[in-house]
Amino acid sequence: MSSRREFLTTMAAGLGVATFGTRFAGAAEAKTLKSPLNGPIGLQLWSVREYLPKDLPGTLAKVRAMGFTDVEGAGLWGKTAPELRAALDTAGLRCTSQHTGYERMRDDAAGAMAEAKVLGASQVITAWIPHKETFTREDALKAAEVFNRAGKAAKDAGLRYGYHTHGYENVASPEGTLLDTLIKNTDPALVFLQVDVFHTYHGGLDPVKVITQNKGRVRSLHLKEIKKGFPVEAAKGTATADADVPLGTGQIDWPTVLRAAAAAGVSNYFIEDESTDPFGHIPQSVTYVTGLKL
């Protein structure tokens, strides 16, 4: 699971002029997920990262066939932004959110926002803050400066910008934890939160508490399950692939988490699966979450 930060750190943007593709004829007839949540259920495309570079059209078609219409991006998979947008359009998918690396946001926030707009995204999110073995207060404060500037660039572009929690922020600080430090030093009008339920929980924080204490600030969740018996490690930001299991089969109390999310005003939900069997796990997660009675 640690490789995403390396991917997002090194990926390059490709922009150009293109005529976007027409959605394939079968997309309209494909099933669509009925969400019991107060917002659509999408898929984070990082879940199928092993397949996208090998067969982009075929993989996106499989994603649509599982019922998804919304996806969250995590790179361009060797394509330009217009080329990826055309492939998404052909598959009948909307990229409503885009993950973009920290260095890109620090060095080229305006370019990142332009790329996101080509893809059709309305929000851009950073999922990892570079740091040494332990995340520090200096790391958090530097990141807050970067995030406030990125948030301003997003606002200027008509988009929204957010930070994706990753568990390593669970280090004591004068504000409580370094996640609290980051939250208190970013402008709520410019920077929202996307809570990764797996990593927040695995890092020793209570996702329900994080969501509830930041009502109005948390706009999005990553729905990802942690295997029963897998150890919780304070301030741990990564886990092995075997820790990831289908929703409803692990340690997370999902009804409580999702009720808290609804009360806090969360409106975007993305299933993410970082196991070695995403096409086996994701349909099980879809069945679980769409069958919930909240």
Side-chain angles (χ1 to χ4, degrees):
M1 292 188 186
S2 61
S3 61
R4 170 164 51 181
R5 68 179 184 271
E6 298 165 2
F7 174 79
L8 290 172
T9 296
T10 59
M11 72 181 185
L15 292 173
V17 178
T19 300
F20 301 146
T22 303
R23 295 173 186 265
F24 77 102
E29 289 76 35
K31 68 178 181 180
T32 300
L33 302 185
K34 293 184 178 180
S35 172
L37 312 177
N38 59 321
I41 300 168
L43 181 71
Q44 164 53 253
L45 288 179
W46 184 253
S47 306
V48 290
R49 63 196 174 279
E50 298 297 328
Y51 304 90
L52 288 167
K54 300 171 185 175
D55 181 8
L56 179 65
T59 303
L60 294 178
K62 288 181 179 179
V63 169
R64 180 66 189 92
M66 288 188 286
F68 294 103
T69 54
D70 291 356
V71 295
E72 182 173 59
L76 299 178
W77 312 108
K79 305 295 183 181
T80 65
E83 287 170 344
L84 179 55
R85 171 64 184 269
L88 290 164
D89 285 349
T90 299
L93 295 169
R94 299 182 300 247
C95 179
T96 58
S97 179
Q98 172 75 352
H99 275 207
T100 301
Y102 179 89
E103 286 85 353
R104 180 82 189 280
M105 300 313 305
R106 181 192 63 200
D107 301 336
D108 184 27
M113 300 307 162
E115 176 181 297
K117 292 185 81 168
V118 171
L119 294 173
S122 61
Q123 58 189 30
V124 176
I125 295 170
T126 295
W128 186 270
I129 300 168
H131 59 277
K132 295 181 180 178
E133 185 174 350
T134 301
F135 190 59
T136 67
R137 182 176 176 79
E138 183 180 7
D139 293 327
L141 293 175
K142 285 183 178 178
E145 293 179 2
V146 171
F147 292 170
N148 283 326
R149 290 196 300 271
K152 177 63 165 56
K155 184 177 181 180
D156 290 346
L159 305 176
R160 303 206 50 150
Y161 177 73
Y163 172 65
H164 168 104
T165 64
H166 229 284
Y168 56 74
E169 313 94 342
N170 186 20
V171 176
S173 80
E175 292 80 12
T177 69
L178 289 179
L179 179 59
D180 298 313
T181 301
L182 191 60
I183 291 168
K184 291 179 181 179
N185 284 277
T186 49
D187 186 341
L190 298 177
V191 183
F192 69 87
L193 294 177
Q194 179 181 72
V195 172
D196 184 309
V197 178
F198 176 111
H199 283 299
T200 300
Y201 180 92
H202 178 236
L205 292 169
D206 179 357
V208 172
K209 184 177 179 181
V210 172
I211 293 166
T212 301
Q213 288 185 340
N214 294 285
K215 181 178 181 180
R217 192 86 186 260
V218 179
R219 296 174 54 86
S220 177
L221 292 191
H222 266 205
L223 309 181
K224 185 163 49 177
E225 182 68 273
I226 183 169
K227 182 172 66 176
K228 290 180 179 178
F230 196 84
V232 170
E233 302 179 61
K236 186 73 170 179
T238 61
T240 52
D242 65 303
D244 202 313
V245 293
L247 296 177
T249 67
Q251 300 182 41
I252 307 295
D253 179 355
W254 287 106
T256 299
V257 168
L258 295 171
R259 289 188 191 106
V266 174
S267 57
N268 296 123
Y269 300 86
F270 295 98
I271 290 174
E272 183 178 30
D273 189 286
E274 296 193 68
S275 74
T276 58
D277 184 23
F279 285 114
H281 284 193
I282 294 168
Q284 296 179 62
S285 293
V286 167
T287 297
Y288 173 76
V289 74
T290 54
L292 285 172
K293 307 295 182 185
L294 300 173

